[in-house]
Amino acid sequence: MVELGLRLFSERSYDELSIDDIAGAAGISKGLLYHYFSSKREFYAATVRSAAESLLARTDPAGDGPDPEALLAALDQYLLFAEEHASAYVALMRSGVGHDAEVAAIVEDTRARFVARLAGRLGLADMTPRVRLALRGWVGFVEGSSLDWLARRDLPREELRDLLAQLLLATLMAVDAAPPEVAA
């Protein structure tokens, strides 16, 4: 059902899709749908949770440690996922269903897992606040750049992927650099 939800929410916005539409696309009665999900919002949250798990799985390259090819492969998969599910991705990242605490928690958990994965693969087990903020900022940059790219489509996906990889390296260099002295 949640795979169907991802397809439906990728084609139409949350507000445009009714319980009748979902049940019809699934070939089941509304009553049966309500047996599994108490509301459209619960179905949407389950769909978002499943999509987040799918995105995390798709972007988890094999092997351990820092590997530039693995990073490029993971970024390719992230951008492909965003492209394949553009409407749903944009709506989710722009809070298209308003503030829903459960959906927001799923998105935040996914971000935290991306940050933890990056730190682990980079051998940054001691995640200082500086490292955490830098990696979290880079994840936010990936999301923001993906949204802009989906809206404009004025840069090939491979160029965006390479830019994001280069910016991760620049972010890591900034983490290692001494903080600038601020004049009083």
Side-chain angles (χ1 to χ4, degrees):
M1 278 300 293
V2 291
E3 291 207 14
L4 172 67
L6 184 56
R7 182 176 61 79
L8 293 174
F9 288 118
S10 293
E11 295 169 355
R12 295 165 62 188
S13 75
Y14 177 87
D15 291 331
E16 292 174 336
L17 204 57
S18 71
I19 285 289
D20 288 326
D21 296 331
I22 297 166
I28 61 174
S29 70
K30 251 181 12 179
L32 185 57
L33 184 61
Y34 279 124
H35 175 74
Y36 293 105
F37 304 99
S38 64
S39 66
K40 181 172 78 166
R41 193 208 62 75
E42 184 180 314
F43 178 67
Y44 180 72
T47 299
V48 170
R49 189 174 298 104
S50 175
E53 291 301 325
S54 175
L55 178 60
L56 284 162
R58 280 179 66 167
T59 58
D60 191 10
D64 293 321
D67 176 3
E69 292 304 315
L71 173 62
L72 294 176
L75 286 168
D76 265 334
Q77 287 302 309
Y78 184 94
L79 295 170
L80 279 167
F81 185 91
E83 193 172 32
E84 290 166 4
H85 309 290
S87 295
Y89 179 87
V90 169
L92 182 62
M93 291 296 126
R94 296 203 191 280
S95 298
V97 289
H99 183 71
D100 182 302
E102 184 179 5
V103 172
I106 295 166
V107 172
E108 281 305 313
D109 177 66
T110 304
R111 289 173 177 148
R113 290 168 68 186
F114 276 131
V115 167
R117 180 192 297 165
L118 275 169
R121 292 197 52 98
L122 295 169
L124 302 170
D126 179 28
M127 190 157 3
T128 65
R130 189 175 170 94
V131 169
R132 185 194 73 249
L133 289 169
L135 294 179
R136 178 63 172 83
W138 181 77
V139 168
F141 187 87
V142 170
E143 291 172 356
S145 297
S146 298
L147 288 169
D148 186 75
W149 173 68
L150 289 169
R152 299 172 192 260
R153 308 286 179 131
D154 57 355
L155 188 70
R157 183 177 58 249
E158 295 77 15
E159 285 186 43
L160 176 57
R161 176 206 61 203
D162 293 347
L163 174 64
L164 294 172
Q166 291 164 353
L167 285 166
L168 177 59
L169 295 176
T171 299
L172 294 170
M173 289 173 45
V175 166
D176 285 338
E181 299 216 12
V182 178

